[in-house]
Amino acid sequence: NAGVTQTPKFQVLKTGQSMTLQCAQDMNHNSMYWYRQDPGMGLRLIYYSASEGTTDKGEVPNGYNVSRLNKREFSLRLESAAPSQTSVYFCASRLSGGNTGELFFGEGSRLTVL
Amino acid sequence: GENVEQHPSTLSVQEGDSAVIKCTYSDSASNYFPWYKQELGKRPQLIIDIRSNVGEKKDQRIAVTLNKTAKHFSLHITETQPEDSAVYFCAAHRLHNTDKLIFGTGTRLQVFP
């Protein structure tokens, strides 16, 4: 049982390059989330997916796109990276509708945009 | 949508002292209030949660209290230890809904030996 797995763990991009962060969970959770965490700051929601086939904007969606590929996988794409997107990105999942609302996080992906 | 405010942003205590972190929320329909701990370089992990049908919950040295009328809830850590040093986040949402899951801005707790 791996939980929530994110790849890559580290990435350096140049301004204007694109990349996709991958996330997969093996807990049969229906809801998945992408957060970013800037140094010394909190967790800000980028996008979330309540269930397979649906995605919604969070607090800071500009510059990002997401795809809920299937129930297990939720990817985050940066089409044209900017230095302001330098951050640590966390994917998370939970079982909505269950008796616990616990959010399970991946280990994080540290992205640097030069 | 829900808005969660968290105070203080930083908190320094001596080992053995108590620490209290407070959060307020805006959506009176929220019924689930979790607290997450994030150690340096690690992922956030749930340490305790409370539902709206109870006013207090304890787990060893940590406790959470909820005041639904005032729409605020607090994390209490007693007999603090250096390993309690971390960033703590609160959140508030409706347990059986699939809403945005918004966190408070976090509190960096430092426990000095």
Side-chain angles (χ1 to χ4, degrees), chain B residues 65-78:
Chain B
T65 57
L66 172 65
N67 182 328
K68 284 189 294 183
T69 303
K71 288 194 276 188
H72 67 70
F73 57 110
S74 301
L75 178 71
H76 305 255
I77 307 174
T78 57

Side-chain angles (χ1 to χ4, degrees), chain B residues 11-12 14 18 22 25 28 34 38-39 41 53 58 64 76 82 84 91 97 103:
Chain B
L11 182 58
S12 296
Q14 205 74 34
S18 295
K22 299 181 179 181
Y25 61 99
S28 56
Q38 185 181 27
E39 296 177 355
N53 58 348
K58 279 187 178 179
V64 57
H76 305 255
D84 294 328
N97 273 40
F103 285 88

Side-chain angles (χ1 to χ4, degrees), chain B residues 73-113:
Chain B
F73 57 110
S74 301
L75 178 71
H76 305 255
I77 307 174
T78 57
E79 300 171 31
T80 53
Q81 300 170 4
E83 53 264 38
D84 294 328
S85 296
V87 179
Y88 292 82
F89 295 98
C90 64
H93 60 99
R94 291 176 282 177
L95 187 57
H96 297 292
N97 273 40
T98 52
D99 307 324
K100 297 179 182 184
L101 217 163
I102 306 295
F103 285 88
T105 48
T107 297
R108 182 173 298 279
L109 173 65
Q110 288 185 297
V111 180
F112 293 99

Side-chain angles (χ1 to χ4, degrees), chain A:
Chain A
N1 220 5
V4 180
T5 304
Q6 290 179 232
T7 56
K9 288 187 170 49
F10 300 94
Q11 183 74 49
V12 178
L13 292 176
K14 293 181 180 177
T15 297
Q17 288 185 316
S18 62
M19 77 157 297
T20 300
L21 296 173
Q22 307 285 356
C23 175
Q25 50 88 14
D26 61 2
M27 295 173 283
N28 203 33
H29 287 170
N30 45 350
S31 296
M32 298 186 73
Y33 305 79
W34 276 106
Y35 291 90
R36 63 176 286 175
Q37 185 174 37
D38 300 323
M41 294 189 68
L43 298 158
R44 292 187 291 170
L45 181 64
I46 305 171
Y47 270 94
Y48 67 107
S49 171
S51 60
E52 186 178 353
T54 69
T55 60
D56 285 287
K57 294 179 180 179
E59 301 170 274
V60 289
N62 290 346
Y64 304 95
N65 284 304
V66 290
S67 295
R68 183 73 183 267
L69 304 169
N70 47 55
K71 191 172 186 179
R72 290 186 64 245
E73 298 172 287
F74 188 38
S75 62
L76 178 72
R77 183 160 177 85
L78 287 70
E79 290 291 352
S80 178
S84 61
Q85 294 178 304
T86 294
S87 191
V88 178
Y89 292 84
F90 286 98
C91 178
S93 71
R94 74 181 181 108
L95 184 65
S96 298
N99 288 324
T100 171
E102 182 173 2
L103 199 58
F104 292 84
F105 286 85
E107 290 185 307
S109 299
R110 185 175 295 274
L111 174 65
T112 302
V113 183
L114 303 175

Side-chain angles (χ1 to χ4, degrees), chain B residues 4-22:
Chain B
V4 179
E5 294 190 1
Q6 183 172 347
H7 301 280
S9 57
T10 60
L11 182 58
S12 296
V13 299
Q14 205 74 34
E15 182 177 359
D17 287 350
S18 295
V20 181
I21 303 169
K22 299 181 179 181

